[in-house]
Amino acid sequence: MRTLALGAVIFGHWTMAAIGRDDDGGLAVDNILNTERWMWPLTWVLVLIPLFFFVGGFSNATSWSRVVERETARTGRTPSFGRLWGVFLRRRLSGLFLPLIPFVLLVAVAVGIALALGAPAGLTRTVAVVVVMPLWFVAVFAALAAVAPVMLRLHARYGWWIVVALSVAVVVVELVRIATDSSAVGTFNYLFVWGTAQQVGFAYADGSLQRMRRSTVVWWAVLAFAALVAVTASPMWPESMIGLSGERSNFSPPGTVPLLLTLVQIPVALLLRPVVAPLLERPRVARVLDVASGASMRAFLWHLPVMVAVTGVLLLLHVPFPDPGSGAWWATRPLWYAVLGLSLWGVLAGTDRVRRRAGSGSRPREARERAGSR
C-alpha cells in the first residue's frame, strides 16, 4: 500500500503537469484538471495519501515494538519509556531525513545556477516551490512518528475512542477555520487528520482491525463514502481532492474531506486484501514489489526534479509541446511517462551507487552494532 500510495502521487503529478506554450511562445505551466474538469473523480482514486499514513501507523507500531524488544534484550531489563522513546526517534527520524540532504542540496544548487544564468526569477521560484512542496509529506510523517509512542499508549488504553476523538477534533478545527477564515488554525489538522490514519494503522498492527467482521467493514466503507459524497456535494467543499483554480484545496490544510476519504480508503483496502495479497505473494511479483518498495520514498522525492530536468532538456532541444488536453497531448502521454520513468530510474540507480559507496565505510560499525544487539 505504501508503494501504491507513493506511486499514485508520482503518476498524478506527471499527469497533472499541463506544460505548453503561451500566445507569446513562452512556457506555460498549468494543472490539466483546470482545463479538463471532468477528470476530478479520478482524484478520489489516485490521491492515496491516507493509505500512506495508515501504513505509517503500522510501521511506527512495529518499529516501536522492535525497539522495546532489542533494548530489553540488550540491557537485560525494560528501559524507561523516555530512553526507549529517544532510541525510537533516532532510528526513525535518521532514516527519514538522511535521504533528504542530497535532495535539498541539489535543488538549492540548481536554483542558484538557474538564477545566475539569467533564468526568470519568478518562474525559477515557482518551480523550486513545486519541487520541494512534497516535503510537507515528510514533515508530517516525522511529526507523527515523534508522537507515535505516546499515541500507542493511548491506543492500548482507549482503543477506537482515540480515533473518534481525533475525528471530532478535525471537524471542530475546520469549523473554527471557516468561521474565522484563518488558515493558521487549520494547520492543526495536518496532525489530526493524518494522525487519525496513523491511529487506525495501530489497530492494524495489533490485529484488532483484521478481527472486524467483513459486514462491519462493508458498512463502514458505505457510510463513509455516503458522507463523503454528501459533504462534497455541498457548496462548502470542492469535489476534487486536488486544488483547482478558483477553489480552495481540500488538502491545504486538510479537514473533513480528507478525513472522510481516509475512512473510505482504509476499509476498501481491507476488503481488497484477501484478493490482492495472494497475488503479491507470487515469487516474481514479490521480487518486483521488494525493489519498488525499497525505492518508493526516493522515487517520491526525485520525481518532480526529474520532470523539471526533462522539461528543460526538451525546451533546449526545441521539442514542440502539444496543447494540454488536446488529442495530441493525450496521445503523447505514454511517451511522456516512459521518458520520465527511465530518467527517474537513472537517477535512482545513480543514488544507489553513491549510497553503496558511502555505506561501505560504515559496515564494520554496523557489524559491531548487530553483534552488540545479539
Side-chain angles (χ1 to χ4, degrees):
M1 282 196 290
R2 180 182 61 191
T3 304
L4 176 65
L6 293 177
V9 172
I10 294 172
F11 178 76
H13 284 164
W14 286 355
T15 302
M16 288 188 303
I19 302 171
R21 298 284 189 179
D22 58 23
D23 295 336
D24 298 325
L27 184 67
V29 181
D30 198 1
N31 184 339
I32 190 63
L33 293 176
N34 284 327
T35 55
E36 306 293 316
R37 294 276 178 145
W38 58 269
M39 293 175 60
W40 71 260
L42 293 177
T43 65
W44 288 29
V45 179
L46 293 179
V47 178
L48 300 178
I49 294 174
L51 292 183
F52 178 82
F53 288 105
F54 167 63
V55 175
F58 168 80
S59 180
N60 285 331
T62 52
S63 295
W64 173 255
S65 298
R66 284 197 297 268
V67 166
V68 173
E69 292 173 0
R70 290 173 181 172
E71 291 301 303
T72 301
R74 188 177 66 84
T75 61
R77 59 184 178 83
T78 303
S80 66
F81 181 77
R83 176 177 174 78
L84 291 172
W85 198 352
V87 174
F88 173 81
L89 284 180
R90 284 196 300 272
R91 293 186 177 179
R92 292 298 284 170
L93 299 187
S94 62
L96 189 63
F97 286 122
L98 285 178
L100 296 182
I101 296 175
F103 172 79
V104 173
L105 288 176
L106 182 62
V107 171
V109 170
V111 169
I113 292 174
L115 293 175
L117 293 176
L123 180 60
T124 302
R125 283 194 297 268
T126 300
V127 170
V129 169
V130 169
V131 166
V132 301
M133 192 179 298
L135 293 185
W136 75 264
F137 213 60
V138 180
V140 174
F141 189 86
L144 292 177
V147 300
V150 174
M151 300 308 293
L152 277 165
R153 281 195 163 188
L154 292 175
H155 171 74
R157 183 168 184 178
Y158 299 107
W160 287 93
W161 286 111
I162 303 301
V163 175
V164 174
L166 287 171
S167 300
V168 171
V170 170
V171 176
V172 170
V173 167
E174 181 152 47
L175 290 177
V176 173
R177 181 196 62 77
I178 293 173
T180 61
D181 195 25
S182 171
S183 58
V185 174
T187 57
F188 287 102
N189 269 344
Y190 281 105
L191 294 180
F192 292 154
V193 172
W194 308 127
T196 302
Q198 172 171 265
Q199 212 68 23
V200 183
F202 295 161
Y204 187 85
D206 67 18
S208 58
L209 195 58
Q210 296 90 308
R211 289 192 292 272
M212 275 189 176
R213 295 171 57 182
R214 189 172 179 82
S215 59
T216 301
V217 178
V218 170
W219 276 111
W220 171 7
V222 169
L223 293 176
F225 182 75
L228 179 60
V229 171
V231 166
T232 54
S234 73
M236 293 181 62
W237 290 276
E239 300 96 341
S240 174
M241 297 299 160
I242 303 296
L244 304 179
S245 298
E247 296 180 352
R248 189 190 67 83
S249 172
N250 281 316
F251 277 73
S252 183
T256 305
V257 171
L259 173 66
L260 290 173
L261 185 67
T262 298
L263 297 178
V264 170
Q265 290 184 353
I266 291 176
V268 169
L270 290 175
L271 293 172
L272 291 176
R273 188 181 186 278
V275 177
V276 176
L279 300 177
L280 300 181
E281 291 172 355
R282 296 177 179 177
R284 290 183 180 179
V285 177
R287 284 195 295 270
V288 172
L289 184 59
D290 283 343
V291 173
S293 178
S296 60
M297 181 56 79
R298 288 184 297 122
F300 170 74
L301 286 176
W302 290 102
H303 77 282
L304 287 178
V306 163
M307 185 174 70
V308 171
V310 168
T311 301
V313 171
L314 294 177
L315 287 171
L316 290 174
L317 296 176
H318 300 287
V319 175
F321 286 85
D323 292 335
S326 66
W329 189 86
W330 284 110
T332 55
R333 289 313 85 190
L335 180 59
W336 172 251
Y337 298 138
V339 171
L340 292 177
L342 288 173
S343 302
L344 181 58
W345 176 81
V347 169
L348 297 181
T351 57
D352 270 341
R353 294 192 188 96
V354 174
R355 292 172 65 202
R356 283 197 295 269
R357 290 178 181 176
S360 61
S362 62
R363 285 175 187 169
R365 178 183 175 185
E366 292 174 356
R368 288 196 298 272
E369 289 178 351
R370 286 196 295 270
S373 68
R374 287 195 294 269

